[in-house]
Coordinates of all heavy atoms in Angstrom, one line a residue:
A1351 N -3.3 8.3 14.2 CA -4.1 7.4 13.4 C -5.4 8.1 12.9 O -6.0 8.7 13.7 CB -4.4 6.1 14.2
G1352 N -5.8 7.8 11.7 CA -7.0 8.4 11.2 C -6.9 9.8 10.6 O -7.8 10.3 10.0
F1353 N -5.7 10.4 10.7 CA -5.5 11.7 10.1 C -5.5 11.6 8.6 O -4.9 10.7 8.0 CB -4.1 12.3 10.6 CG -3.9 13.7 10.2 CD1 -4.4 14.7 10.9 CD2 -3.1 14.0 9.1 CE1 -4.2 16.1 10.5 CE2 -2.9 15.3 8.7 CZ -3.4 16.3 9.4
L1354 N -6.1 12.6 7.9 CA -6.2 12.7 6.5 C -5.0 13.6 6.0 O -5.1 14.8 6.2 CB -7.5 13.3 6.0 CG -7.8 13.4 4.5 CD1 -7.7 12.1 3.8 CD2 -9.1 14.2 4.3
L1355 N -4.0 13.0 5.3 CA -2.9 13.8 4.8 C -3.3 14.7 3.7 O -3.0 15.9 3.6 CB -1.8 12.9 4.4 CG -0.8 12.3 5.4 CD1 0.2 11.5 4.7 CD2 -0.2 13.4 6.2
F1356 N -4.1 14.2 2.8 CA -4.7 15.0 1.7 C -5.9 14.3 1.1 O -6.0 13.1 1.3 CB -3.7 15.4 0.6 CG -3.0 14.3 0.0 CD1 -3.5 13.5 -1.0 CD2 -1.6 14.0 0.3 CE1 -2.8 12.5 -1.7 CE2 -0.9 13.0 -0.3 CZ -1.5 12.2 -1.3
R1357 N -6.8 15.1 0.5 CA -8.0 14.6 0.0 C -8.1 14.5 -1.6 O -7.4 15.4 -2.2 CB -9.2 15.5 0.5 CG -10.6 14.9 0.2 CD -11.6 15.9 0.7 NE -11.5 16.0 2.2 CZ -12.1 15.1 3.0 NH1 -12.7 14.1 2.6 NH2 -11.9 15.3 4.3
E1358 N -8.8 13.6 -2.1 CA -9.0 13.5 -3.6 C -9.5 14.8 -4.1 O -10.4 15.4 -3.5 CB -9.9 12.4 -3.9 CG -10.0 12.0 -5.3 CD -10.8 10.7 -5.6 OE1 -11.3 10.1 -4.6 OE2 -11.0 10.3 -6.7
N1359 N -9.0 15.3 -5.2 CA -9.3 16.5 -5.9 C -8.8 17.8 -5.2 O -9.0 18.9 -5.7 CB -10.8 16.7 -6.2 CG -11.3 15.6 -7.1 OD1 -10.7 15.3 -8.1 ND2 -12.5 15.0 -6.8
E1360 N -8.1 17.6 -4.1 CA -7.5 18.8 -3.4 C -6.3 19.3 -4.2 O -5.6 18.6 -4.9 CB -7.0 18.3 -2.1 CG -6.4 19.3 -1.2 CD -5.9 18.7 0.2 OE1 -6.8 18.3 1.0 OE2 -4.7 18.5 0.4
R1361 N -6.2 20.7 -4.3 CA -5.1 21.3 -5.0 C -4.0 21.7 -4.1 O -3.8 22.8 -3.7 CB -5.7 22.5 -5.8 CG -6.5 22.2 -7.0 CD -6.8 23.3 -7.9 NE -7.4 23.0 -9.1 CZ -6.8 22.6 -10.2 NH1 -5.5 22.5 -10.2 NH2 -7.4 22.2 -11.3
T1362 N -3.2 20.6 -3.7 CA -2.0 20.9 -2.9 C -0.9 20.1 -3.6 O -1.2 19.2 -4.4 CB -2.2 20.4 -1.5 OG1 -2.6 19.0 -1.5 CG2 -3.2 21.2 -0.7
T1363 N 0.3 20.5 -3.4 CA 1.5 19.9 -4.1 C 2.6 19.4 -3.3 O 3.7 19.1 -3.8 CB 2.0 21.0 -5.1 OG1 2.4 22.1 -4.4 CG2 1.0 21.3 -6.1
E1364 N 2.4 19.2 -2.0 CA 3.5 18.7 -1.2 C 3.7 17.2 -1.4 O 2.7 16.4 -1.7 CB 3.2 18.9 0.3 CG 3.2 20.3 0.8 CD 1.8 21.0 0.6 OE1 0.9 20.3 0.1 OE2 1.7 22.2 0.8
T1365 N 4.9 16.7 -1.3 CA 5.2 15.3 -1.3 C 5.5 14.9 0.1 O 6.0 15.6 0.9 CB 6.4 15.0 -2.2 OG1 6.1 15.3 -3.5 CG2 6.9 13.5 -2.1
Y1366 N 5.1 13.6 0.5 CA 5.3 13.1 1.9 C 6.1 11.9 1.9 O 5.8 10.9 1.2 CB 3.9 12.8 2.5 CG 3.0 14.0 2.7 CD1 2.2 14.4 1.6 CD2 2.9 14.7 3.9 CE1 1.3 15.5 1.7 CE2 2.1 15.8 4.0 CZ 1.3 16.1 2.9 OH 0.4 17.2 3.1
L1367 N 7.3 12.0 2.6 CA 8.1 10.8 2.8 C 7.7 10.2 4.1 O 7.8 10.8 5.2 CB 9.6 11.2 2.8 CG 10.6 10.2 3.3 CD1 10.6 9.0 2.4 CD2 12.0 10.8 3.5
I1368 N 7.3 8.9 4.1 CA 6.9 8.2 5.3 C 8.1 7.7 6.1 O 8.9 7.0 5.5 CB 6.0 7.0 5.0 CG1 4.8 7.5 4.1 CG2 5.5 6.3 6.2 CD1 4.0 6.4 3.5
I1369 N 8.2 8.2 7.3 CA 9.3 7.8 8.1 C 8.9 6.7 9.1 O 9.7 5.7 9.2 CB 9.8 9.0 9.0 CG1 10.3 10.1 8.0 CG2 11.0 8.6 9.9 CD1 10.6 11.4 8.7
K1370 N 7.8 6.8 9.7 CA 7.3 5.8 10.6 C 5.8 5.6 10.3 O 5.1 6.5 10.0 CB 7.5 6.2 12.1 CG 8.9 6.3 12.5 CD 9.0 6.7 14.0 CE 10.5 6.8 14.4 NZ 10.5 7.2 15.9
G1371 N 5.3 4.3 10.5 CA 3.9 4.0 10.4 C 3.5 3.7 8.9 O 4.3 3.7 8.0
H1372 N 2.2 3.5 8.7 CA 1.7 3.2 7.4 C 0.5 4.1 7.1 O -0.3 4.5 8.0 CB 1.2 1.7 7.4 CG 2.4 0.8 7.4 ND1 3.0 0.4 8.6 CD2 3.0 0.1 6.4 CE1 4.0 -0.4 8.3 NE2 4.0 -0.6 7.0
V1373 N 0.3 4.3 5.8 CA -0.9 5.1 5.3 C -1.6 4.2 4.3 O -1.1 3.3 3.7 CB -0.5 6.4 4.7 CG1 0.2 7.3 5.7 CG2 0.3 6.2 3.4
K1374 N -2.9 4.5 4.2 CA -3.7 3.8 3.1 C -4.1 4.8 2.1 O -4.5 6.0 2.4 CB -5.0 3.1 3.7 CG -5.9 4.0 4.4 CD -7.1 3.2 5.0 CE -8.1 4.1 5.7 NZ -9.3 3.4 6.2
V1375 N -4.1 4.4 0.8 CA -4.4 5.2 -0.3 C -5.8 4.8 -0.7 O -6.0 3.6 -1.1 CB -3.4 5.1 -1.4 CG1 -3.8 6.0 -2.6 CG2 -2.0 5.4 -0.9
T1376 N -6.8 5.7 -0.7 CA -8.2 5.3 -1.0 C -8.7 6.3 -2.1 O -8.2 7.4 -2.4 CB -9.1 5.4 0.2 OG1 -9.2 6.8 0.6 CG2 -8.5 4.7 1.4
S1377 N -9.8 5.8 -2.7 CA -10.5 6.6 -3.7 C -12.0 6.3 -3.7 O -12.4 5.1 -3.7 CB -10.0 6.3 -5.1 OG -10.6 7.1 -6.1
G1378 N -12.8 7.3 -3.5 CA -14.3 7.1 -3.5 C -14.8 6.7 -2.1 O -16.0 6.4 -2.0
G1379 N -14.0 6.8 -1.1 CA -14.4 6.5 0.3 C -13.3 5.8 1.0 O -12.4 5.2 0.5
P1380 N -13.3 6.0 2.4 CA -12.2 5.5 3.2 C -12.0 4.0 3.2 O -11.0 3.5 3.6 CB -12.5 6.0 4.6 CG -14.0 6.3 4.6 CD -14.3 6.7 3.2
D1381 N -13.1 3.2 2.8 CA -13.0 1.8 2.8 C -12.5 1.2 1.4 O -12.2 0.1 1.3 CB -14.4 1.2 3.1 CG -14.8 1.4 4.5 OD1 -13.9 1.6 5.4 OD2 -16.0 1.3 4.8
R1382 N -12.5 2.1 0.4 CA -12.0 1.6 -0.9 C -10.5 1.8 -1.0 O -10.0 2.8 -1.6 CB -12.8 2.4 -2.0 CG -14.3 2.1 -2.0 CD -15.0 2.8 -3.2 NE -14.5 2.3 -4.4 CZ -14.9 2.8 -5.6 NH1 -15.7 3.8 -5.7 NH2 -14.4 2.3 -6.7
V1383 N -9.8 0.8 -0.5 CA -8.3 0.9 -0.4 C -7.7 0.5 -1.7 O -8.0 -0.6 -2.2 CB -7.8 0.0 0.8 CG1 -6.3 0.1 0.9 CG2 -8.5 0.5 2.1
M1384 N -6.9 1.4 -2.2 CA -6.1 1.0 -3.4 C -4.7 0.5 -3.2 O -4.2 -0.3 -3.9 CB -6.0 2.3 -4.3 CG -7.4 2.8 -4.7 SD -7.2 4.4 -5.7 CE -6.4 3.8 -7.1
A1385 N -4.1 1.0 -2.1 CA -2.8 0.6 -1.7 C -2.4 1.0 -0.3 O -3.1 1.8 0.3 CB -1.8 1.3 -2.7
I1386 N -1.4 0.4 0.2 CA -0.9 0.7 1.5 C 0.6 1.0 1.4 O 1.3 0.3 0.7 CB -1.1 -0.5 2.5 CG1 -2.6 -0.7 2.8 CG2 -0.3 -0.2 3.8 CD1 -2.9 -1.9 3.6
R1387 N 1.0 2.1 2.0 CA 2.4 2.6 1.9 C 3.0 2.7 3.3 O 2.3 3.0 4.2 CB 2.5 3.9 1.2 CG 1.8 4.0 -0.2 CD 2.4 3.1 -1.2 NE 1.8 3.2 -2.5 CZ 1.7 2.2 -3.4 NH1 2.3 1.0 -3.1 NH2 1.1 2.3 -4.5
G1388 N 4.4 2.4 3.3 CA 5.0 2.4 4.6 C 6.3 3.1 4.6 O 6.7 3.9 3.7
P1389 N 7.2 2.9 5.6 CA 8.4 3.6 5.8 C 9.3 3.5 4.6 O 9.5 2.5 4.0 CB 9.1 2.9 7.0 CG 7.9 2.5 7.8 CD 6.9 2.0 6.8
G1390 N 9.9 4.7 4.2 CA 10.8 4.8 3.0 C 10.0 5.1 1.7 O 10.7 5.3 0.7
E1391 N 8.7 5.0 1.7 CA 7.9 5.3 0.5 C 7.4 6.7 0.6 O 7.3 7.3 1.6 CB 6.8 4.3 0.4 CG 7.2 2.8 0.2 CD 6.1 1.9 0.0 OE1 5.4 1.5 1.0 OE2 5.8 1.5 -1.2
V1392 N 7.0 7.2 -0.6 CA 6.5 8.6 -0.7 C 5.1 8.5 -1.3 O 4.7 7.6 -2.0 CB 7.4 9.5 -1.6 CG1 8.7 9.7 -1.0 CG2 7.4 8.9 -3.0
V1393 N 4.3 9.5 -0.9 CA 2.9 9.7 -1.4 C 2.8 11.1 -1.8 O 3.4 12.0 -1.2 CB 1.8 9.3 -0.4 CG1 1.8 7.7 -0.2 CG2 2.0 10.0 0.9
G1394 N 1.9 11.4 -2.8 CA 1.7 12.8 -3.2 C 2.7 13.3 -4.2 O 2.6 14.5 -4.6
E1395 N 3.6 12.4 -4.7 CA 4.6 12.9 -5.6 C 4.1 13.3 -7.0 O 4.7 14.1 -7.7 CB 5.7 11.8 -5.7 CG 5.3 10.6 -6.6 CD 4.3 9.6 -5.9 OE1 4.2 9.7 -4.6 OE2 3.7 8.9 -6.6
M1396 N 2.9 12.7 -7.4 CA 2.4 13.0 -8.7 C 2.0 14.5 -8.8 O 2.3 15.2 -9.8 CB 1.3 12.1 -9.1 CG 1.8 10.7 -9.4 SD 3.0 10.6 -10.7 CE 2.1 11.2 -12.1
S1397 N 1.2 15.0 -7.8 CA 0.7 16.3 -7.9 C 1.9 17.3 -7.8 O 1.9 18.4 -8.4 CB -0.3 16.6 -6.8 OG -1.5 15.9 -7.0
A1398 N 3.0 16.9 -7.1 CA 4.2 17.8 -7.1 C 4.8 17.9 -8.4 O 5.4 18.9 -8.8 CB 5.2 17.2 -6.1
L1399 N 4.7 16.8 -9.2 CA 5.4 16.8 -10.5 C 4.5 17.5 -11.6 O 5.1 18.2 -12.5 CB 5.7 15.3 -11.0 CG 6.7 14.6 -10.2 CD1 6.8 13.1 -10.6 CD2 8.1 15.3 -10.3
D1400 N 3.2 17.2 -11.6 CA 2.4 17.7 -12.7 C 1.4 18.9 -12.3 O 0.8 19.5 -13.2 CB 1.6 16.6 -13.4 CG 0.6 15.9 -12.4 OD1 0.2 16.5 -11.4 OD2 0.2 14.8 -12.7
G1401 N 1.4 19.2 -11.0 CA 0.5 20.3 -10.6 C -1.0 20.1 -10.7 O -1.8 21.0 -10.4
Q1402 N -1.4 18.8 -10.9 CA -2.8 18.5 -11.0 C -3.4 18.2 -9.7 O -2.6 17.9 -8.7 CB -3.0 17.3 -12.0 CG -2.5 17.5 -13.4 CD -3.3 18.7 -14.0 OE1 -4.6 18.6 -14.1 NE2 -2.6 19.7 -14.5
P1403 N -4.7 18.2 -9.5 CA -5.3 17.9 -8.2 C -5.0 16.5 -7.8 O -4.7 15.6 -8.6 CB -6.8 18.0 -8.5 CG -6.9 18.9 -9.7 CD -5.7 18.6 -10.5
R1404 N -5.1 16.2 -6.5 CA -4.9 14.9 -6.0 C -5.8 13.9 -6.6 O -7.0 14.2 -6.7 CB -5.0 14.9 -4.4 CG -4.2 15.9 -3.7 CD -2.7 15.6 -3.7 NE -1.9 16.4 -2.8 CZ -0.6 16.3 -2.6 NH1 0.1 15.5 -3.4 NH2 0.0 17.1 -1.8
S1405 N -5.3 12.7 -6.9 CA -6.2 11.7 -7.5 C -6.7 10.7 -6.4 O -7.6 9.9 -6.7 CB -5.4 10.9 -8.5 OG -4.2 10.3 -7.9
T1406 N -6.2 10.8 -5.2 CA -6.7 9.9 -4.1 C -6.7 10.6 -2.8 O -6.2 11.7 -2.7 CB -5.7 8.7 -4.0 OG1 -4.4 9.2 -3.7 CG2 -5.7 7.8 -5.3
D1407 N -7.3 9.9 -1.8 CA -7.2 10.3 -0.4 C -6.0 9.5 0.2 O -5.8 8.4 -0.2 CB -8.4 10.0 0.4 CG -9.7 10.7 -0.1 OD1 -9.5 11.8 -0.7 OD2 -10.8 10.2 0.2
V1408 N -5.3 10.1 1.2 CA -4.3 9.3 1.9 C -4.5 9.5 3.4 O -4.5 10.6 3.9 CB -2.9 9.7 1.5 CG1 -1.9 9.1 2.4 CG2 -2.6 9.4 0.1
W1409 N -4.8 8.4 4.1 CA -5.1 8.4 5.6 C -4.0 7.7 6.4 O -3.5 6.7 5.9 CB -6.4 7.7 5.8 CG -7.6 8.1 5.0 CD1 -7.9 7.9 3.7 CD2 -8.6 9.0 5.5 NE1 -9.1 8.5 3.4 CE2 -9.6 9.2 4.5 CE3 -8.9 9.6 6.8 CZ2 -10.7 9.9 4.6 CZ3 -10.0 10.4 6.9 CH2 -10.9 10.5 5.9
A1410 N -3.8 8.2 7.6 CA -2.9 7.5 8.5 C -3.6 6.3 9.1 O -4.7 6.4 9.6 CB -2.4 8.4 9.6
M1411 N -3.0 5.1 8.9 CA -3.6 3.9 9.5 C -3.2 3.7 11.0 O -3.9 3.0 11.7 CB -3.1 2.7 8.7 CG -3.4 2.7 7.3 SD -2.9 1.2 6.4 CE -3.9 -0.1 7.2
E1412 N -2.2 4.4 11.4 CA -1.7 4.4 12.8 C -1.0 5.7 13.0 O -0.9 6.5 12.1 CB -0.7 3.2 12.9 CG 0.4 3.2 11.9 CD 1.2 1.9 11.9 OE1 1.2 1.1 12.9 OE2 1.7 1.5 10.8
D1413 N -0.4 5.9 14.2 CA 0.4 7.1 14.4 C 1.5 7.1 13.4 O 2.2 6.1 13.3 CB 0.9 7.2 15.8 CG -0.2 7.4 16.8 OD1 -1.4 7.7 16.4 OD2 0.0 7.2 18.0
I1414 N 1.7 8.2 12.7 CA 2.8 8.3 11.7 C 3.7 9.4 11.9 O 3.4 10.4 12.5 CB 2.1 8.4 10.2 CG1 1.3 9.6 10.1 CG2 1.3 7.1 9.9 CD1 0.8 9.9 8.7
Q1415 N 4.9 9.3 11.3 CA 5.8 10.4 11.2 C 6.2 10.5 9.7 O 6.6 9.6 9.1 CB 7.1 10.2 12.0 CG 8.0 11.4 12.0 CD 9.2 11.1 12.9 OE1 10.2 10.4 12.6 NE2 9.2 11.6 14.1
V1416 N 6.0 11.7 9.2 CA 6.3 12.0 7.7 C 7.2 13.2 7.6 O 7.2 14.1 8.4 CB 5.1 12.1 6.9 CG1 4.2 10.8 6.9 CG2 4.2 13.3 7.4
K1417 N 7.9 13.3 6.5 CA 8.6 14.5 6.1 C 7.8 15.2 5.0 O 7.5 14.6 4.0 CB 10.0 14.2 5.7 CG 10.8 15.5 5.3 CD 12.3 15.2 4.9 CE 13.1 15.0 6.1 NZ 14.6 14.9 5.7
V1418 N 7.4 16.4 5.2 CA 6.6 17.2 4.2 C 7.6 18.0 3.4 O 8.3 18.8 3.9 CB 5.6 18.1 4.9 CG1 4.7 18.8 3.9 CG2 4.8 17.4 6.0
I1419 N 7.5 17.7 2.0 CA 8.5 18.3 1.1 C 7.7 19.2 0.2 O 6.8 18.8 -0.5 CB 9.2 17.2 0.3 CG1 9.9 16.2 1.3 CG2 10.3 17.8 -0.6 CD1 9.8 14.8 0.8
L1420 N 8.1 20.5 0.1 CA 7.4 21.4 -0.8 C 7.8 21.1 -2.3 O 8.8 20.5 -2.6 CB 7.9 22.8 -0.5 CG 7.5 23.4 0.9 CD1 8.1 24.8 1.1 CD2 6.0 23.4 1.1
Q1421 N 6.9 21.5 -3.1 CA 7.0 21.1 -4.6 C 8.3 21.5 -5.1 O 9.0 20.7 -5.8 CB 5.9 21.8 -5.3 CG 5.9 21.5 -6.8 CD 4.8 22.2 -7.6 OE1 4.4 23.3 -7.2 NE2 4.2 21.6 -8.6
R1422 N 8.8 22.8 -4.9 CA 10.0 23.2 -5.5 C 11.2 22.5 -4.9 O 12.1 22.1 -5.7 CB 10.2 24.7 -5.1 CG 11.4 25.4 -5.8 CD 11.2 25.6 -7.3 NE 11.8 24.6 -8.1 CZ 11.6 24.3 -9.4 NH1 10.6 25.0 -10.0 NH2 12.2 23.4 -10.0
E1423 N 11.2 22.1 -3.6 CA 12.2 21.4 -3.0 C 12.3 20.0 -3.6 O 13.4 19.4 -3.9 CB 12.0 21.3 -1.5 CG 12.1 22.6 -0.8 CD 13.5 23.2 -0.7 OE1 14.4 22.5 -1.1 OE2 13.6 24.3 -0.1
W1424 N 11.2 19.4 -3.9 CA 11.1 18.0 -4.4 C 11.7 18.0 -5.8 O 12.5 17.1 -6.2 CB 9.7 17.5 -4.4 CG 9.4 16.1 -4.9 CD1 8.6 15.8 -6.0 CD2 10.0 14.9 -4.5 NE1 8.6 14.5 -6.2 CE2 9.4 13.9 -5.3 CE3 10.9 14.5 -3.5 CZ2 9.8 12.5 -5.2 CZ3 11.2 13.2 -3.4 CH2 10.7 12.2 -4.2
I1425 N 11.2 18.9 -6.7 CA 11.7 19.0 -8.0 C 13.2 19.3 -8.1 O 13.9 18.6 -8.9 CB 10.9 20.0 -8.8 CG1 9.4 19.5 -9.0 CG2 11.5 20.2 -10.2 CD1 8.5 20.5 -9.6
D1426 N 13.7 20.2 -7.3 CA 15.1 20.5 -7.3 C 15.9 19.3 -6.9 O 17.0 19.1 -7.4 CB 15.4 21.7 -6.4 CG 14.9 23.1 -7.0 OD1 14.6 23.1 -8.2 OD2 14.8 24.0 -6.2
F1427 N 15.4 18.6 -5.9 CA 16.1 17.4 -5.4 C 16.2 16.4 -6.5 O 17.3 15.8 -6.7 CB 15.3 16.9 -4.2 CG 15.9 15.6 -3.6 CD1 17.0 15.7 -2.8 CD2 15.3 14.4 -3.9 CE1 17.6 14.5 -2.2 CE2 15.8 13.2 -3.3 CZ 17.0 13.3 -2.5
L1428 N 15.1 16.2 -7.2 CA 15.2 15.1 -8.3 C 16.1 15.5 -9.4 O 16.9 14.7 -9.9 CB 13.7 15.0 -8.9 CG 12.7 14.3 -8.0 CD1 11.3 14.3 -8.6 CD2 13.1 12.9 -7.5
Y1429 N 16.2 16.8 -9.8 CA 17.1 17.2 -10.8 C 18.6 17.1 -10.3 O 19.5 16.9 -11.1 CB 16.8 18.7 -11.2 CG 15.7 18.8 -12.2 CD1 14.7 19.7 -12.0 CD2 15.7 18.1 -13.4 CE1 13.6 19.8 -12.9 CE2 14.7 18.2 -14.3 CZ 13.7 19.1 -14.1 OH 12.6 19.2 -15.0
S1430 N 18.8 17.2 -9.0 CA 20.2 17.2 -8.5 C 20.6 15.8 -8.3 O 21.8 15.5 -8.1 CB 20.2 18.0 -7.2 OG 19.6 17.3 -6.2
R1431 N 19.7 14.8 -8.3 CA 20.1 13.4 -8.0 C 19.5 12.5 -9.1 O 18.4 11.9 -8.9 CB 19.6 13.0 -6.6 CG 20.2 13.9 -5.5 CD 20.5 13.2 -4.3 NE 21.2 14.1 -3.4 CZ 21.9 13.6 -2.3 NH1 21.9 12.3 -2.1 NH2 22.5 14.5 -1.5
P1432 N 20.2 12.3 -10.2 CA 19.6 11.5 -11.3 C 19.3 10.1 -10.9 O 18.3 9.5 -11.4 CB 20.8 11.5 -12.3 CG 21.6 12.7 -12.0 CD 21.5 12.9 -10.5
R1433 N 20.0 9.5 -10.0 CA 19.7 8.1 -9.5 C 18.3 8.1 -8.9 O 17.5 7.1 -9.2 CB 20.7 7.6 -8.5 CG 20.5 6.1 -8.2 CD 21.0 5.8 -6.8 NE 20.2 6.4 -5.8 CZ 19.1 6.0 -5.3 NH1 18.5 4.9 -5.9 NH2 18.4 6.6 -4.4
V1434 N 18.0 9.1 -8.1 CA 16.6 9.1 -7.4 C 15.6 9.3 -8.5 O 14.5 8.7 -8.5 CB 16.6 10.2 -6.4 CG1 15.2 10.3 -5.8 CG2 17.6 10.0 -5.3
F1435 N 15.8 10.2 -9.5 CA 14.9 10.4 -10.6 C 14.6 9.1 -11.3 O 13.4 8.8 -11.6 CB 15.4 11.5 -11.5 CG 14.4 12.2 -12.3 CD1 14.1 13.5 -12.1 CD2 13.7 11.5 -13.3 CE1 13.1 14.2 -12.9 CE2 12.7 12.1 -14.0 CZ 12.4 13.5 -13.8
H1436 N 15.6 8.4 -11.6 CA 15.5 7.1 -12.3 C 14.7 6.1 -11.4 O 13.8 5.4 -11.9 CB 16.9 6.5 -12.6 CG 16.8 5.2 -13.3 ND1 17.9 4.4 -13.5 CD2 15.8 4.6 -14.0 CE1 17.6 3.4 -14.2 NE2 16.3 3.4 -14.5
A1437 N 15.0 6.1 -10.1 CA 14.3 5.2 -9.2 C 12.8 5.6 -9.1 O 11.9 4.7 -9.0 CB 14.9 5.2 -7.8
L1438 N 12.5 6.9 -9.1 CA 11.1 7.4 -9.1 C 10.4 6.9 -10.3 O 9.2 6.5 -10.2 CB 11.1 8.9 -9.0 CG 9.7 9.5 -9.0 CD1 8.9 9.1 -7.8 CD2 9.8 11.1 -9.1
V1439 N 11.0 7.0 -11.5 CA 10.3 6.5 -12.7 C 10.0 5.0 -12.6 O 8.9 4.6 -12.9 CB 11.2 6.8 -13.9 CG1 10.6 6.1 -15.2 CG2 11.3 8.3 -14.2
Q1440 N 10.9 4.3 -12.0 CA 10.7 2.8 -11.8 C 9.6 2.6 -10.8 O 8.7 1.7 -11.0 CB 12.0 2.2 -11.3 CG 13.1 2.0 -12.3 CD 14.3 1.3 -11.8 OE1 14.5 1.2 -10.6 NE2 15.0 0.7 -12.7
M1441 N 9.5 3.4 -9.7 CA 8.5 3.2 -8.7 C 7.1 3.5 -9.3 O 6.2 2.8 -9.1 CB 8.8 4.2 -7.6 CG 7.8 4.0 -6.4 SD 7.8 5.4 -5.3 CE 6.9 6.6 -6.2
L1442 N 7.0 4.6 -10.1 CA 5.7 4.9 -10.7 C 5.3 3.9 -11.7 O 4.1 3.5 -11.8 CB 5.8 6.3 -11.4 CG 6.1 7.5 -10.5 CD1 6.3 8.8 -11.3 CD2 4.9 7.6 -9.5
S1443 N 6.3 3.3 -12.5 CA 6.0 2.2 -13.4 C 5.5 1.0 -12.6 O 4.5 0.4 -13.0 CB 7.2 1.9 -14.2 OG 7.0 0.8 -15.0

Side-chain angles (χ1 to χ4, degrees):
F1353 185 83
L1354 179 63
L1355 279 179
F1356 54 80
R1357 187 180 299 278
E1358 190 171 358
N1359 295 318
E1360 181 179 290
R1361 285 191 170 275
T1362 53
T1363 56
E1364 295 85 3
T1365 296
Y1366 297 84
L1367 168 64
I1368 304 168
I1369 300 172
K1370 294 180 181 178
H1372 291 81
V1373 301
K1374 61 180 180 179
V1375 181
T1376 69
S1377 180
D1381 290 338
R1382 296 185 61 184
V1383 180
M1384 299 175 64
I1386 294 171
R1387 307 297 181 205
E1391 296 186 280
V1392 296
V1393 291
E1395 73 288 340
M1396 289 302 298
S1397 290
L1399 293 174
D1400 62 20
Q1402 296 299 306
R1404 304 292 193 182
S1405 58
T1406 59
D1407 300 337
V1408 173
W1409 303 82
M1411 299 182 68
E1412 54 195 331
D1413 291 350
I1414 60 170
Q1415 184 177 80
V1416 298
K1417 180 177 283 190
V1418 186
I1419 306 143
L1420 297 179
Q1421 182 183 32
R1422 186 73 261 166
E1423 297 286 358
W1424 178 240
I1425 293 174
D1426 287 347
F1427 177 78
L1428 292 176
Y1429 277 127
S1430 70
R1431 302 216 171 196
R1433 188 208 64 81
V1434 178
F1435 202 111
H1436 183 192
L1438 177 64
V1439 171
Q1440 289 186 334
M1441 184 195 77
L1442 295 177
S1443 175

